[in-house]
Amino acid sequence: MTASTQRGQSSVEYLLVLVLFVLALVAGPDSPLERLFEAFGERYQAYTHAMSMP
């Protein structure tokens, strides 16, 4: 294998690992990404409620 072929292969391997990582974050009904967005929403609701108080 030449150096450029090896570089291309490693790029494909990194891309595959990245895709699998993203799928792990978004897959399923109770995914970590969904829980993160819910936590942001809850904190924003608490913040807006506190800001609306006189």
Side-chain angles (χ1 to χ4, degrees):
M1 290 184 127
T2 64
S4 65
T5 304
Q6 289 178 347
R7 272 194 303 260
Q9 180 178 352
S10 64
S11 297
V12 171
E13 290 171 357
Y14 282 125
L15 181 63
L16 180 61
V17 169
L18 180 64
V19 166
L20 290 175
F21 180 73
V22 169
L23 281 175
L25 283 178
V26 299
D30 196 27
S31 70
L33 194 60
E34 182 180 349
R35 290 180 17 207
L36 177 68
F37 288 150
E38 287 175 0
F40 279 140
E42 290 170 5
R43 292 292 104 203
Y44 185 71
Q45 278 183 337
Y47 171 74
T48 55
H49 175 71
M51 291 301 292
S52 69
M53 299 304 243

